Amino acid sequence: AQSVTQLDSQVPVFEEAPVELRCNYSSSVSVYLFWYVQYPNQGLQLLLKYLSGSTLVKGINGFEAEFNKSQTSFHLRKPSVHISDTAEYFCAVSGSGGYQKVTFGTGTKLQVIP
Amino acid sequence: DAGVIQSPRHEVTEMGQEVTLRCKPISGHNSLFWYRQTMMRGLELLIYFNNNVPIDDSGMPEDRFSAKMPNASFSTLKIQPSEPRDSAVYFCASSLTEYEQYFGPGTRLTVT
């Protein structure tokens, strides 16, 4: 079984500042890792995913994440945030290969301050 | 494509009533998921269908919950009888691969 921990429930950041949202996972097998974004009153949307290969993964809206196997982390970063990035961000993990249940973290609310 | 469609978007019902939530997945997707989101428990997988067959229903809370997928373009999640603790946002998601799910807008259920 896998688990994922998002230590920060809320992250306030000023507009145009950089941001990092932290995610740590636990698994005894190879994993796929994901970041999803949820805007108010909407469903989740996939931002980026790590399946294999390069540990630096680029996603939509200028976000990127780095898979660190030794630290079992998959932190999400953006060099300069916009007001429109205000949303809740979910880290998720699943085992690799075939159907594997996706386990979601508890979410981090990013608040971009003008 | 219109994306995953869920109806209704909001449902308010009284305790003891039957509630039916509906989902139309993206055309061509062969996997469908029902999730429940609450402040206390976060996002939980209730049931997963592949090619219209339930594969993983370990997350279904109890016998009051049931889900069906009679064909590739329609699924229902039924709660009978409903209880106040069932109040949550229910999401349907569909996918073509095991690593990318497309979520619908959700149904906000309030049981009074």
Side-chain angles (χ1 to χ4, degrees), chain A residues 90-110:
Chain A
F90 293 88
C91 183
V93 63
S94 74
S96 61
Y99 166 67
Q100 298 282 341
K101 180 176 174 178
V102 177
T103 300
F104 289 83
T106 51
T108 297
K109 291 184 178 177
L110 175 63

Side-chain angles (χ1 to χ4, degrees), chain B residues 7-20:
Chain B
S7 64
R9 293 294 311 276
H10 302 273
E11 177 78 40
V12 180
T13 191
E14 292 183 349
M15 182 174 63
Q17 297 298 306
E18 177 180 296
V19 175
T20 300

